[in-house]
Amino acid sequence: MAYRWKNDLTRTDATPEWAFLNRRKLMAGAAAGLGLSALGGPLRAAPQDGLDPNSWEEITGYCNFYEFGTGKDDPAANAGAMTTTPWQIKIDGLVDRPGTYDLTEILGQMTQEERIYRFRCVEAWSMVIPWIGFELADLLDMVGVKAGARYVAFETLLRPEEMPGTRYPVLDWPYREGLRLDEARHPLTIMATGLYGKPMPNQNGAPIRLVVPWKYGFKSIKSVVRITLTEEEPYATWNRTNPREYGFYSNVNPKVDHPRWSQASERRIGGGLFSRRQPTQMFNGYGDEVASLYEGMDLATYF
Ligand SMILES: Nc1nc2c(c(=O)[nH]1)N[C@H]1C(S)=C(S)[C@@H](COP(=O)(O)O)O[C@H]1N2
Ligand SMILES: [Mo]
């Protein structure tokens, strides 16, 4: 399938961090060789350069993980306390083989090896993150989805002694999210287990988190301990906390503004001099792959 071109590496081929950094240097060198500024100019502005990944420091230092505090640097400061081994995921609801699965057992049963996915993450800000992971569809196939299932619900670990943010009623803990089954089965929907060829840093959702690249960042729930197949649309934290501001779908859509800010543009994290706002792309630029999921739906109503 065409869209897999950037996902065709196995874990053993995972590009180590230095290679990504070298690539950045190479690109800068190439730009200099062409007589362009090494840092910016047309090369970085071209659409494919949107896939030049952010640095390890940017990705792991500027995070949202309210279980560890509401500040962008709180997760990096506090998430080290979270114990992630052993890690179990309860899979229940409308599945053939419900149970509590050890993460090592799940990874051992994956038919495909973990791959690299270089996805853009976007909200009012954006980053490009080279995730490692596997398709959620493979996990759903492993447990068998029963007829009648229409949604997939996810839940994050809730362990107040290791998660200082959860001692306050900032959200109705545990953090929960949901997808329609066809969205969950889409090959761009992954369970990520690491980034830059390394195990997932705690602040980014260790040891396993969802990544849905065509939706706003908050759909990509971290540190998942439960996955439930349901018939009804499940509880989704931001949607239920403030339904006027956050819809269940939360597809990236420059034409539907958040009531308190415009979603028409985004600020690239780490863009330096070139961090001026860029226009947000419909479905975060993955429209060719995912627009068909929403055919016939009014996306202003189902936002
Ligand atoms: N459990 C949990 N998952 C979460 C969040 C959170 O607070 N708790 N924040 C979300 C939000 S708002 C964003 S933007 C992304 C950020 O992921 P990153 O910090 O790895 O870039 O995680 C999402 N997943
Ligand atoms: Mo977010």
Side-chain angles (χ1 to χ4, degrees), residues 23-269:
R23 181 169 169 269
R24 288 165 81 93
K25 286 202 193 101
L26 278 174
M27 288 193 45
L34 290 168
L36 302 167
S37 143
L39 261 178
L43 276 188
R44 283 191 70 92
Q48 61 269 39
D49 292 331
L51 289 178
D52 193 21
N54 280 86
S55 71
W56 175 269
E57 288 71 27
E58 287 159 359
I59 297 167
T60 61
Y62 186 93
C63 300
N64 271 335
F65 200 164
Y66 276 24
E67 285 85 339
F68 298 100
T70 54
K72 303 280 187 210
D73 47 8
D74 287 339
N78 301 329
M82 177 170 61
T83 319
T84 58
T85 44
W87 193 268
Q88 295 181 320
I89 304 180
K90 181 176 179 182
I91 307 182
D92 61 354
L94 295 168
V95 295
D96 297 326
R97 291 171 288 282
T100 299
Y101 294 86
D102 225 69
L103 181 56
T104 50
E105 182 189 355
I106 290 173
L107 293 177
Q109 288 201 28
M110 282 296 123
T111 51
Q112 294 182 39
E113 287 195 73
E114 291 169 295
R115 292 156 183 262
I116 294 178
Y117 299 79
R118 200 172 303 176
F119 285 155
R120 287 157 47 86
C121 168
V122 71
E123 254 178 52
W125 45 275
S126 64
M127 282 197 212
V128 177
I129 305 181
W131 301 110
I132 302 171
F134 55 84
E135 291 176 23
L136 173 58
D138 288 346
L139 179 56
L140 296 176
D141 288 343
M142 187 190 115
V143 293
V145 175
K146 281 192 167 157
R150 292 173 57 226
Y151 294 90
V152 186
F154 305 85
E155 231 175 84
T156 294
L157 176 74
L158 175 54
R159 197 180 283 153
E161 59 284 15
E162 295 182 0
M163 298 173 139
T166 64
R167 296 172 208 156
Y168 307 90
V170 180
L171 296 171
D172 181 13
W173 313 108
Y175 195 103
R176 281 159 282 172
E177 261 307 337
L179 297 172
R180 218 171 54 194
L181 184 57
D182 58 343
E183 300 177 314
R185 281 198 171 285
H186 193 282
L188 289 179
T189 302
I190 63 162
M191 296 305 292
T193 53
L195 54 91
Y196 267 123
K198 297 182 182 175
M200 188 69 76
N202 280 9
Q203 59 265 42
N204 295 97
I208 185 165
R209 52 105 37 105
L210 181 70
V211 178
V212 194
W214 71 95
K215 294 179 181 279
Y216 291 116
F218 58 84
K219 294 294 282 186
S220 292
I221 183 173
K222 296 177 169 182
S223 304
V224 170
V225 293
R226 186 174 178 190
I227 298 175
T228 310
L229 276 289
T230 67
E231 197 182 334
E232 303 295 329
E233 186 181 285
Y235 185 103
T237 293
W238 287 103
N239 170 229
R240 295 293 176 95
T241 302
N242 194 339
R244 205 176 66 86
E245 299 195 355
Y246 303 101
F248 176 78
Y249 285 91
S250 303
N251 293 316
V252 174
N253 187 344
K255 288 177 282 186
V256 177
D257 284 338
H258 185 282
R260 288 181 286 122
W261 56 78
S262 166
Q263 297 280 23
S265 67
E266 69 201 48
R267 186 175 60 85
R268 171 79 198 259
I269 299 296

